[in-house]
Amino acid sequence: MVAVHDALAAPQLAAPEQLDAAYREVVGALVTVLGCLNVQVAALEEQLTLRFAVHRDAGIVQSLPGLGVVLGARVLAEFGDDPHRYATAKGRKAFAGTAPVTRASGLRTTVVARAACNQRLVDACYLWAFAALTASPGARRCYDAHRARGASHHQALRALGNRLVGILHGCLARRVTYQEQVAWPAA
């Protein structure tokens, strides 16, 4: 009877001792590497915070919804800080890749996402638009309006990003911080 009970017991899944020891060494080494990486990331974040804080446009950039230190610095770095580089919001939007391209023939008109653009800035604007959804009621209304008209999530975020880039351009051109009621007037 004892032999039958032992045969029905769950099988043991123990690894050989050598394999167990090797896994312990690998995991220990990975923990050490991750600890070093965390220290380096913290040091880089501290340097970024200090350098971004003294930039003349940092206050304006960080006043916009969804732009903190890291993403704000990324957006500012990709656009550059020459105040005369973009004469209009349209030029800034085209460089950012948020402005759609309209292709029209005699029979058909299509609106597509811009392909020739700064992809790092496109990615940053996409993240910015996503973060702004929870930080700004106006941004949320804009996104929801695009979704209600049948736009996909990605299309609505690109449209919101386009609007945010225009707002950023206006704030930088006028040297004013973001104001929710000015950027998103009540309907």
Side-chain angles (χ1 to χ4, degrees), residues 86-175:
Y86 306 100
T88 64
K90 187 176 180 179
R92 189 179 293 267
K93 290 175 179 183
F95 181 74
T98 59
V101 176
T102 303
R103 294 191 178 120
S105 68
L107 301 174
R108 184 182 311 189
T109 299
T110 58
V111 178
V112 296
R114 189 173 293 272
C117 55
N118 178 339
Q119 193 59 50
R120 291 179 308 274
L121 186 53
V122 170
D123 295 340
C125 289
Y126 189 84
L127 292 172
W128 174 19
F130 188 73
L133 289 177
T134 57
S136 165
R140 171 50 81 173
R141 282 193 314 273
C142 177
Y143 172 84
D144 289 342
H146 282 281
R147 292 288 286 158
R149 287 188 294 244
S152 70
H153 170 70
H154 300 292
Q155 291 169 333
L157 279 182
R158 277 196 309 269
L160 175 57
N162 192 46
R163 179 78 185 268
L164 289 170
V165 169
I167 292 168
L168 173 64
H169 180 80
C171 289
L172 290 172
R174 291 174 185 81
R175 308 297 307 156

Side-chain angles (χ1 to χ4, degrees), residues 5-138:
H5 179 68
D6 289 340
L8 296 176
Q12 297 295 323
L13 299 176
E17 181 57 37
Q18 289 177 327
L19 187 60
D20 221 13
Y23 278 132
R24 275 194 304 275
E25 289 177 28
V26 168
V27 169
L30 288 174
V31 167
T32 302
V33 168
L34 289 174
C36 292
L37 288 174
N38 284 336
V39 169
Q40 291 301 311
V41 167
L44 285 172
E45 189 174 353
E46 183 180 340
Q47 288 177 4
L48 176 68
T49 302
L50 293 173
R51 290 190 176 145
F52 183 57
V54 298
H55 193 280
R56 72 173 186 270
D57 295 332
I60 295 171
V61 170
Q62 280 191 285
S63 72
L64 277 98
L67 287 181
V69 173
V70 175
L71 190 54
R74 182 176 171 189
V75 167
L76 181 61
E78 292 298 336
F79 275 124
D81 60 359
D82 180 4
H84 306 292
R85 183 172 183 184
Y86 306 100
T88 64
K90 187 176 180 179
R92 189 179 293 267
K93 290 175 179 183
F95 181 74
T98 59
V101 176
T102 303
R103 294 191 178 120
S105 68
L107 301 174
R108 184 182 311 189
T109 299
T110 58
V111 178
V112 296
R114 189 173 293 272
C117 55
N118 178 339
Q119 193 59 50
R120 291 179 308 274
L121 186 53
V122 170
D123 295 340
C125 289
Y126 189 84
L127 292 172
W128 174 19
F130 188 73
L133 289 177
T134 57
S136 165

